[in-house]
Structure formats: C-alpha cells, structure tokens
Amino acid sequence: MLNVFAKIFGNKNDREVKKYRKRANAITSLESKYEKLSDEELQNCFEELKQAVLNNEKNLNDVLNDSFAITREASKRILGMRHHDVQLIGGMVLHDGRIAEMKTGEGKTLVATLPVILNAMTGKGVHVVTVNDYLAQRDANEMSKLYNFFGYSVGIILGELKDDMLRKEQYICDITYGTNNEFAFDYLRSNMTLDITEKVQREHNFVIVDEVDSILIDEARTPLIISGPTNHKNVNYVKANEIALKLEKGELIEPKSADEKPYSTGDFTVDEKNRTILLTDQGIAKAEELFEVDNLYSLENAMLSHNLDQALKANYLFVKDVDYVVKDNEVIIVDEFTGRLSEGRRFSDGLHQALEAKEGVAIQEESQTLADITFQNYFRMYEKLAGMTGTAQTEATEFAEIYNLDVVSIPTNLAVARIDRNDLIYKSEREKFNAVCTKIKEYHQKGQPVLVGTASIEKSELLHTLLTKEKIPHTVLNAKQHEKEGKIIEKAGEKGAVTIATNMAGRGVDIKLTKETLELGGLAIIGTERHESRRIDNQLRGRSGRQGDVGESQFYLSLEDNLLRIFGSDKIKAIMERLGIEEGEHIESKMVTRAVENAQKKVESMHFESRKHLLEYDDVANEQRKVIYNFRNDLLNPEFDINSKLDENRREYVLNLLSEAEIINGMPSEDYNYDLVIAKLREELNLEISKEDLTSQSFEQLEEKLTTMLKTIYEDKMSIAAPEQKSEIERILYLQILDNAWREHLYSMDTLKTGIGLRGYNQKDPLVEYKKESYNMFIDLIASIKNEIIKVLFTIRLQSSEDAKKEQEAIERMKASMEEINEKIQTNLDENEDKTIEKKEKKIARNEPCPCGSGQKYKNCCGKSGPKRGLAAGN
C-alpha cells in the first residue's frame, strides 16, 4: 500500500527535490538579467546584496536567488563552467545545513561554491573540509579565481604549514580550505596556548564537509588525540611479545547440548568477529611461569597482563600490509577505509608498541593524552554544518541521530548508463583470483580500460604477481605508491589500461575517458572483495558511468573472504554444496547478492553501535572540556578580572579549611581544631599565625578575619610588582596549574574508561557508572585547581632587581665551585682507572632463594622493597 502511495505522490526525498527544483527554476529565470551586465556591474550587484546582509536589512535566504544567479554567471565567465539546475539544488541543500548526496562525477566541487559565496557574506568565515591535503589545495586553487572575483580571500590549511602565524592568516580569510584532521587539531592546539594572540582558529560559523560519510562516519570511530610523554612508564613489550609467540592458539568448542558449556583448547582463542583474544586457564598458568610471577592478574602485575593481551592482538589480529606497514623502521597505520598511510597516527593503549615489538623496530615511548576530541563533537560546534558525498543514504539514520543532519539525494544531470552486474561467488580465494585474471585479460585484449579494487595492500600485491605472470601490463595504486596517485589515476581511462587500486582509489580524482574507450564500453570496474561498508563498494562502482558515460561493474567474491567467513551466512556455502559447484565454477544470483548485503548491514550496524558508544563516553568528557576551555579563554582575555576570581578562590580555601577544622574525632563540633588550622596554613601557605589571631565570636567572623588576613598578606607581598606584571604572573601560573591538572584528569579518565566495563559483571551499567565517577572526579579537579592556585601564589617569592642581581652572582659562584670540584673528582678517577675493578651484580630471579638466608623466595623477602611505581614528584 505504501509503495502505491509513493508511486503516486513520491517519497519524502522526491517531495524535497521538487520543492528545491521550483526555486532552481526561479534562479534560472534570473540568468538573462545578469548575462547582460559587465563584470564590474555584476560585482556591484553582489556587493549591494552583501551590504544588505551585513546591515541586517536582509538575511541570507532573502538574497539566495540573486546570489546563486550571480555566482553561476561569474562561474561561466571565469571558470568556463555553468552550474546545472541539479547543482543549484545541491547548493541549496548545503545552505540549509543538510547533506547533498550527489553521484560521483556530478561536480560537487563546483556545487560548494554556491553556498560558500552566499554564507561568506556574513564575514564570519566559511570552512570547506576535504579528506586530504591534495584535494584541499586543488579545490582551493581551482575555485579561488571565482572567490577573488567577489572580493573574498581564500586560505588553505595544509599539514606542512608549521608556522602558527601563517596558519592564523589562513583562518582569518573569508573562505578556508583544509582537512578534518588539521581543523580539529588546530582547535585543540589553540586551547593549549598561553597567549591569546597564539590562538589560530576563529569562531565556528559554517562548514561544508566533502566526502562527509568518510569524515563523519568512517573516521569518527577514532578520537583525535594530542599526546605527550607520560610519567606512567611501562617497559615489557619485547618480553610480552616473546611470551605471546610461545603460547599456542586454540579453538572455541561449541557445546553439543544445552547442559554443556563452551570450552577452549590451547592457551588462547581468537574471536575475529569481535576482535578480541581470550586466554584459557592453561594459557594463564603458562604465561605466569614464563613471566616468573605467581598471579598474572594481581595489582602489581596488571601491566604484564595488559601487555600480553596487546602482544597477542598484535600477532593474531593485526596483519602487516593490511592494518599497518613497516616503513623507515617505523610501524605506520593503514587507514582501513581509504587505504592511505596515516602518518603520525598511533594505536593507543600500548598496541602500537606491541606492533613495534612484533616487527622488531624501535619501540617509541608511550604517551599520555594532553587534549582530545571526537570528530562528532568537533563538527557539532559549528553553527551550521553541511556535507556532500556520493554515498550517504545507507547511513541516513546515523547522520540524523548523531548530527541532526538530513540526507537529500540529488538526481543526476544525465541518467546513469552503467551496468551493475550481480556478484560472482567462488569457493576459494585462489579460484576467485584466477577468474579475475581471466576477466582482466579479456578486457585488456579488447582495449577496454579496467579498474580493479582490492581491500588491502596484501591483496593488491597478490594480484600484481598473478598479472605479471600472465604478462598483462598494469599499474598498482596502493598506500605504498600514494605519491604517484594523481598520475596513475589520470591514465586509468586510457585504452587497454589496467589499474589495481586499494580502496583509496575513489577519492576525488577524475578518471577521464576518450571517445575511443567510451565506444569500447567505457570503464570496467572489478571488485575483488566486498568491503564491510556498502558505501565503499558504491564509491568504487561510482568511478565508472560518470555524467551519463557507459560502463560496467561486478564484484568477485569467495567463501574465504573475511566478510563472508566472519559475518556471512552458512546458507551460501550450503547452496554451493547442494548445487555441486566444481573447481573454478561460480554461482551468480540476486539471493546471494542479498545475503552479502545483509552481512554488510550487520557490520555497519556493529560499527554504528561502536561509534555511538565512543560518543556517549566522549559526551561526558566534552561537557568537562567545554568548562575548562571556556575558563582558559577567560584567563587568556586581558579584560578578564582575575582579582575577583582569586578573591573567590581565597574565600573557598578558607571555608574548606574551617570545615575541616570543625570535624573533631570524626564528628562535627561547635569548637574548632585551631591547631589543625595553624598547621595547615604553615604547611600549605608558609604562613605563621597564633591562636590569638583566630579568636572570633562566630564562624562568619572567623571566615572574614582569615580571608581578609590572607588577602592583605598576599597583596602586600605582590606590591613589589607593577599591576600589569602582577596580573600576568597570576594569569600564567593559573594557566599552568589548570593545564597540568587537566592532563592528569584526562589520564585518570582514560584509566577509568579502560576498567569501567568490568562493572557490567556486577549488574551495573558501565556508562552510568562512568558518568557518576567522572562527575565526582571533575568536581575534585575544579576544587584542586582552586586550592592549588592559592597555595602557589602565596608561596612564590618576588625579588627586587637588586636582590635578583645578587642572587644571580651567588648562583654563578656556586656553579664555578661545582665545576672545579667535578674536575678534581674526574682527575682522581682517571688516575685510579686501572686500579678499579668493575663488579657486576648478578640479577636475582624472583623465584630464587633470597640471598639474605631467610629461606624464603627473593620476591617474598628482600625483593619486596625497591622503588614503587607512581606519579613523578610534583604531579
């Protein structure tokens, strides 16, 4: 019944497009008006619209029709490109803060100019986000001529741009192009500066995200983190890797009846579906023996068990040339969605170190989080967010739920002429690749260009070997050759061209076809594996059949492919066996293709839950981040009244001190523990007072007396400095205390997040527990920051210039004296070097008898002492 209504009245998307098409017609009707004008007259018309917006006489919607019509006319003259009506529709969808789903080759770069030029009128800046530096630079350079015509400045944020002042200049521009990583990292870095002039990013007004599905969906599973060296060091990676290799992999045996429980063989089992490793009791005992510990899961050995878990993951879940590559003695992550190398990105939680130990390369130091944010929370800061991509409808629910974004599918300018054939499924991977080679040979002999998509570097190199044996000339485009990407893609549409590409291939680079290749059937697409996400497959297909071109696409699959092996239904295998499929034969049916798409839907759903889970946790941190960053911005603002803030903190300090003094023998009392007040002031503020100083009639009087006393002493001490200098000292110290406390808080939050899942075993919701505990931690954080600034400011000592000079002279004398003593010691050492006998202590194993003669094991006796792990002094 619903289908009948849809056919008569159209679905929701059709109705939206119809509404936009009506306005597109109105814009087109203005074309004759602006065609007659000279360039100068066209610019004057645009300037009038802009001034009307700036003076609040009109809003952007009021001037949209004329702005779009003028932009279209200017584009015809400057770029030689006229916006089609469907591109006008796309521009309106973007201006409304929605996602425009436009097929590959429909000219999304040109579409973006319409809402960019319109929204830049406000003077608040427009950001255009792309997936890589190459596209950001290409799009900005190609479109800047058009933007400059209207008097707009254009900036580009590239990874290679290191100078903060130059970055700031790019952000001040009316229109700024850049990548999602650069924009988000600049936001984090801007909230780590100690000077307001060093903040590079302006307000978050309007942003258009190109390849919105890739950025807001695929990459949103990993938060952006700025990290630094940690005091919480941990050094057992190599040992853990050696032990991981000595453990034997087993299998999970499913029960035969309801009474039995599943059990595992070997030392550990691998769950590929959930990407987890489970140690068996036998494996735990073996690991304890190899680590020489009694209990692998005791508190003192917690890091050993964690390292072993990561070492097993590194060896049994992460594959070289699929998940990462080793380049220049470094382990570099391969982005699973684009196939590109993610230079500078590292797996967290010690996994990257485990991979370095596995590959035998230099192990880099673990780091701690200094600042972090998810792409979801970064892009939700913009007043207006819009996006465009060729594939968004499959994730429409997530866009609506997480970002409050609607997806509107824009019709193509010309009907799609590409033929999408059903999938072919083979029993084994070997048979599948042999069939792919045969098909490529057929296309090559015919002269029809073919683009072959592979899911990993490993598979692209396997196909490269097979084609080399068959003497079929071809080019390979994967993360190892991404420097040559542009040139390889340019030639992919030539007669007889064979291009093998990982799924990085379809990122904004056009494959141009000649008249001859179009006559041969256009570009043929062969997919050698279905990706976990249907969108990635659709992007590969979309490389062919652009702007009404002919073309064809087909996927070759096998039962050994990861997607079918882990998530696929056993029904496909049963069908193949029932049909008696022989070596080299395949099955092709819509039912099988549907089964594959159902498997993809399962994975997409799982990843959606994963991203949602990440966001739920980050939302907690995000509220805290906003509070800290807002206060940071206040401190950076020269107009901020820091004196009032310190007065407030001083009063809180006194209140907390008196509240603590009211508790005597664990009970509230009407009397006060004056000795405690005196001792605390001496210890924390280096302030000497007597009991007589504290005598008062009431709590309020005592509070006022102490607060006034602390303020008077502090102001008297600081009077040596000029008012501006005093404020600067207070501001810088406050910022340093705030930043240090926030970093330690982030470390504690990371630790809490890691272990909170265990609360589920106690019938408690881990997320609710995380919210409660992180809230309490944040309240403690704020209190400790306020407390610490009072203590630090009270105990710092300012010097007069004369005192400072004398002190510097004394330091220089001490240095000279120390150097003289060191020289004498070194001389004596050199003279006695031949008499010195090095005595190397033999390291005692933890389970050996203690050398003190107690009869106990060393670990239970003298081995108990030694340095304790913890925070470095001062933290």
Side-chain angles (χ1 to χ4, degrees):
M1 191 69 180
L2 285 171
N3 287 338
V4 174
F5 276 109
K7 280 177 184 175
I8 298 169
F9 301 107
N11 57 29
K12 185 184 177 225
N13 192 80
D14 294 337
R15 291 194 294 275
E16 290 291 327
V17 170
K18 192 176 179 182
K19 187 175 72 180
Y20 283 120
R21 198 178 283 281
K22 193 175 176 184
R23 195 163 190 183
N25 292 337
I27 295 166
T28 300
S29 68
L30 294 169
E31 196 163 10
S32 57
K33 172 187 171 182
Y34 291 114
E35 271 178 337
K36 299 169 188 170
L37 303 181
S38 67
D39 286 1
E40 192 180 339
E41 287 170 332
L42 204 61
Q43 287 167 330
N44 290 340
C45 284
F46 183 79
E47 191 58 33
E48 283 175 23
L49 296 177
K50 187 178 171 184
Q51 288 307 316
V53 169
L54 289 172
N55 297 333
N56 292 321
E57 294 163 12
K58 290 183 178 179
N59 62 36
L60 292 178
N61 283 328
D62 296 334
V63 300
L64 184 146
N65 288 15
D66 287 282
S67 173
F68 276 31
I70 292 170
T71 302
R72 175 195 255 177
E73 183 57 36
S75 177
K76 272 159 53 180
R77 299 179 190 186
I78 295 157
L79 304 176
M81 293 189 279
R82 177 187 177 275
H83 296 82
H84 301 302
D85 282 10
V86 289
Q87 288 176 313
L88 296 179
I89 294 171
M92 286 183 272
V93 169
L94 293 174
H95 168 68
D96 285 347
R98 305 170 95 175
I99 291 173
E101 184 187 64
M102 302 184 75
K103 294 282 181 267
T104 311
E106 289 294 300
K108 292 190 285 290
T109 309
L110 189 63
V111 168
T113 60
L114 295 161
V116 164
I117 287 167
L118 173 65
N119 283 268
M121 285 182 182
T122 61
K124 294 178 182 176
V126 174
H127 292 169
V128 183
V129 177
T130 62
V131 288
N132 59 51
D133 281 354
Y134 164 74
L135 290 177
Q137 195 155 24
R138 185 201 72 178
D139 293 355
N141 290 340
E142 284 181 5
M143 299 299 138
S144 60
K145 293 173 195 167
L146 180 60
Y147 297 138
N148 296 155
F149 178 82
F150 295 112
Y152 288 137
S153 54
V154 182
I156 316 172
I157 304 292
L158 299 174
E160 63 196 37
L161 189 65
K162 303 299 180 193
D163 187 293
D164 281 347
M165 286 303 103
L166 287 176
R167 275 184 175 254
K168 191 170 185 175
E169 285 173 20
Q170 306 305 306
Y171 278 114
I172 291 168
C173 292
D174 298 301
I175 300 152
T176 307
Y177 280 78
T179 66
N180 47 316
N181 284 339
E182 292 303 321
F183 279 112
F185 274 132
D186 279 341
Y187 167 72
L188 292 177
R189 281 191 287 260
S190 285
N191 283 289
M192 293 171 72
T193 61
L194 293 175
D195 190 324
I196 198 163
T197 60
E198 291 171 9
K199 286 173 78 76
V200 299
Q201 211 170 63
R202 67 194 296 189
E203 69 253 66
H204 298 89
N205 174 42
F206 175 48
V207 64
I208 294 176
V209 182
D210 192 10
E211 302 294 355
V212 68
D213 51 339
S214 174
I215 291 170
L216 297 191
I217 302 287
D218 298 338
E219 295 192 34
R221 275 160 63 186
T222 312
L224 278 173
I225 295 170
I226 290 181
S227 55
T230 176
N231 297 316
H232 318 270
K233 289 185 183 171
N234 161 14
V235 288
N236 296 296
Y237 305 113
V238 176
K239 178 79 173 169
N241 190 65
E242 288 168 2
I243 291 170
L245 294 173
K246 288 176 183 174
L247 300 180
E248 290 178 22
K249 181 181 172 183
E251 289 181 15
L252 185 68
I253 309 298
E254 293 296 335
K256 291 176 183 175
S257 67
D259 301 331
E260 295 177 6
K261 289 182 179 178
Y263 68 94
S264 305
T265 62
D267 297 325
F268 65 93
T269 55
V270 178
D271 181 350
E272 288 186 84
K273 185 174 182 177
N274 296 306
R275 291 184 75 75
T276 56
I277 302 276
L278 182 67
L279 275 168
T280 63
D281 290 342
Q282 173 188 318
I284 293 167
K286 194 168 173 180
E288 285 170 343
E289 188 182 327
L290 292 166
F291 272 124
E292 296 183 348
V293 297
D294 286 339
N295 181 1
L296 188 61
Y297 293 95
S298 66
L299 195 60
E300 63 176 330
N301 297 324
M303 290 317 296
L304 292 182
S305 60
H306 175 72
N307 283 350
L308 179 59
D309 186 45
Q310 298 295 51
L312 287 166
K313 281 182 182 174
N315 281 284
Y316 294 97
L317 287 175
F318 285 78
V319 183
K320 185 179 175 181
D321 285 344
V322 175
D323 301 298
Y324 65 92
V325 296
V326 177
K327 181 182 172 188
D328 301 331
N329 202 35
E330 270 188 77
V331 170
I332 301 172
I333 298 172
V334 174
D335 188 291
E336 65 172 307
F337 294 99
T338 66
R340 293 182 184 278
L341 295 184
S342 300
E343 307 266 2
R345 209 176 111 205
R346 288 175 66 79
F347 291 116
S348 60
D349 219 17
L351 176 59
H352 213 97
Q353 285 80 3
L355 288 167
E356 286 166 338
K358 169 190 172 183
E359 296 297 340
V361 301
I363 296 173
Q364 295 181 29
E365 194 177 276
E366 258 196 88
S367 54
Q368 81 174 73
T369 302
L370 304 182
D372 68 341
I373 195 168
T374 56
F375 280 128
Q376 289 101 322
N377 276 321
Y378 174 72
F379 283 108
R380 290 195 302 191
M381 286 193 301
Y382 282 88
E383 204 173 305
K384 187 161 70 174
L385 165 65
M388 50 189 184
T389 180
T391 46
Q393 280 295 357
T394 54
E395 314 293 349
T397 306
E398 184 164 353
F399 280 125
E401 203 169 314
I402 305 293
Y403 301 99
N404 199 25
L405 283 172
D406 290 337
V407 177
V408 179
S409 295
I410 315 293
T412 54
N413 186 43
L414 298 168
V416 177
R418 185 187 66 245
I419 301 163
D420 296 329
R421 305 188 194 283
N422 286 329
D423 299 354
L424 304 183
I425 302 189
Y426 294 80
K427 271 188 174 179
S428 69
E429 188 177 78
R430 179 181 53 79
E431 294 170 72
K432 174 184 77 175
F433 276 110
N434 286 339
V436 167
C437 277
T438 304
K439 191 66 179 174
I440 291 171
K441 200 171 185 178
E442 185 187 311
Y443 283 129
H444 182 64
Q445 285 169 349
K446 182 183 167 187
Q448 188 175 356
V450 56
L451 176 66
V452 188
T454 61
S456 68
I457 299 166
E458 182 189 34
K459 294 293 186 283
S460 71
E461 292 185 345
L462 167 66
L463 193 53
H464 162 64
T465 307
L466 291 171
L467 290 177
T468 305
K469 277 183 188 173
E470 291 290 325
K471 296 181 180 171
I472 299 171
H474 61 280
T475 47
V476 180
L477 177 61
N478 61 31
K480 291 184 174 179
Q481 286 90 28
H482 70 274
E483 294 89 353
K484 305 172 189 171
E485 176 182 333
K487 288 180 183 175
I488 293 172
I489 285 289
E490 275 173 25
K491 295 179 180 178
E494 291 179 0
K495 185 180 178 181
V498 177
T499 310
I500 304 169
T502 53
N503 41 31
M504 66 184 283
R507 286 285 184 248
V509 185
D510 286 343
I511 297 175
K512 303 278 194 299
L513 299 176
T514 63
K515 190 179 176 185
E516 187 183 10
T517 50
L518 285 169
E519 285 170 0
L520 290 167
L523 182 65
I525 302 288
I526 293 179
T528 59
E529 198 170 324
R530 282 282 198 165
H531 196 274
E532 286 182 351
S533 167
R534 287 170 292 165
R535 284 180 298 102
I536 307 296
D537 294 340
N538 291 339
Q539 281 170 3
L540 177 63
R541 276 201 161 118
R543 308 310 299 159
S544 173
R546 297 155 74 91
Q547 284 290 344
D549 287 348
V550 291
E552 56 187 283
S553 72
Q554 190 159 36
F555 280 84
Y556 286 67
L557 315 178
S558 85
L559 293 179
E560 292 176 357
D561 292 351
N562 282 344
L563 183 76
L564 295 182
R565 185 171 54 80
I566 301 170
F567 296 94
S569 166
D570 290 334
K571 287 177 185 174
I572 302 171
K573 194 171 184 179
I575 292 166
M576 294 185 88
E577 284 171 359
R578 201 160 53 241
L579 293 172
I581 300 296
E582 299 292 328
E583 170 79 20
E585 289 184 350
H586 63 265
I587 59 169
E588 174 187 0
S589 77
K590 283 187 179 176
M591 187 184 75
V592 172
T593 302
R594 265 200 309 274
V596 172
E597 285 184 353
N598 286 337
Q600 287 177 307
K601 284 177 188 173
K602 279 185 202 171
V603 186
E604 285 168 5
S605 173
M606 193 175 80
H607 287 329
F608 174 36
E609 288 306 316
S610 159
R611 288 188 292 269
K612 203 171 165 188
H613 184 68
L614 169 74
L615 187 61
E616 283 171 340
Y617 278 86
D618 190 61
D619 280 344
V620 178
N622 196 48
E623 291 308 310
Q624 299 179 3
R625 189 187 298 117
K626 282 179 189 171
V627 172
I628 295 293
Y629 285 1
N630 285 340
F631 183 51
R632 253 191 132 268
N633 288 334
D634 287 342
L635 288 172
L636 289 173
N637 186 353
E639 305 298 315
F640 179 64
D641 184 4
I642 197 162
N643 280 329
S644 297
K645 188 68 188 171
L646 290 173
D647 285 345
E648 180 191 310
N649 291 356
R650 210 176 282 115
R651 189 167 293 279
E652 276 191 46
Y653 175 85
V654 169
L655 278 168
N656 290 336
L657 180 62
L658 293 179
S659 298
E660 197 178 337
E662 269 189 304
I663 307 295
I664 299 176
N665 297 325
M667 297 294 288
S669 168
E670 290 180 10
D671 199 2
Y672 294 99
N673 185 346
Y674 291 116
D675 291 335
L676 176 68
V677 176
I678 292 165
K680 281 270 188 184
L681 290 172
R682 185 187 300 125
E683 178 196 348
E684 294 180 348
L685 305 186
N686 201 19
L687 181 64
E688 292 287 350
I689 62 168
S690 63
K691 279 190 182 180
E692 288 73 31
D693 295 325
L694 296 173
T695 51
S696 299
Q697 300 298 315
S698 66
F699 180 92
E700 287 75 17
Q701 279 187 355
L702 181 55
E703 177 203 335
E704 194 58 44
K705 192 173 187 178
L706 260 180
T707 306
T708 306
M709 185 193 300
L710 293 186
K711 182 174 171 105
T712 305
I713 294 168
Y714 172 71
E715 294 293 346
D716 187 51
K717 179 186 76 169
M718 296 297 281
S719 63
I720 198 169
E724 303 81 26
Q725 191 184 10
K726 172 179 172 284
S727 292
E728 185 66 6
I729 290 166
E730 291 166 342
R731 192 175 63 81
I732 292 294
L733 284 171
Y734 214 140
L735 281 167
Q736 287 179 342
I737 288 164
L738 179 76
D739 288 349
N740 286 336
W742 176 240
R743 286 166 193 173
E744 283 303 319
H745 178 70
L746 286 176
Y747 182 84
S748 302
M749 291 273 280
D750 281 347
T751 308
L752 174 66
K753 200 185 297 179
T754 303
I756 203 79
L758 297 172
R759 307 283 176 94
Y761 293 114
N762 200 23
Q763 305 302 312
K764 291 181 178 177
D765 183 340
L767 181 62
V768 172
E769 293 294 300
Y770 179 74
K771 284 179 178 177
K772 278 196 312 198
E773 295 217 14
S774 61
Y775 174 76
N776 292 334
M777 284 164 64
F778 189 65
I779 296 299
D780 291 345
L781 167 76
I782 298 299
S784 73
I785 290 169
K786 290 177 176 179
N787 206 38
E788 191 66 17
I789 187 63
I790 294 302
K791 289 197 276 187
V792 169
L793 284 173
F794 222 92
T795 50
I796 60 166
R797 185 165 57 90
L798 298 184
Q799 302 172 321
S800 66
S801 55
E802 202 173 305
D803 288 341
K805 190 178 175 184
K806 285 178 185 174
E807 194 169 286
Q808 189 60 38
E809 286 171 0
I811 290 168
E812 294 300 329
R813 284 197 299 274
M814 283 172 65
K815 279 183 182 174
S817 173
M818 285 174 72
E819 282 170 11
E820 194 179 328
I821 293 165
N822 285 337
E823 278 175 23
K824 286 179 183 175
I825 291 169
Q826 188 59 46
T827 306
N828 290 337
L829 283 172
D830 292 341
E831 286 171 1
N832 295 316
E833 191 174 6
D834 54 334
K835 300 174 190 174
T836 306
I837 298 167
E838 273 194 13
K839 189 176 179 184
K840 291 185 181 178
E841 277 190 322
K842 178 179 177 286
K843 191 177 177 186
I844 304 157
R846 289 171 53 76
N847 288 315
E848 282 184 19
C850 190
C852 74
S854 66
Q856 291 183 300
K857 286 183 179 180
Y858 175 65
K859 67 181 179 184
N860 295 326
C861 188
C862 298
K864 274 185 176 177
S865 60
K868 290 185 171 57
R869 191 188 298 128
L871 299 180
N875 283 342

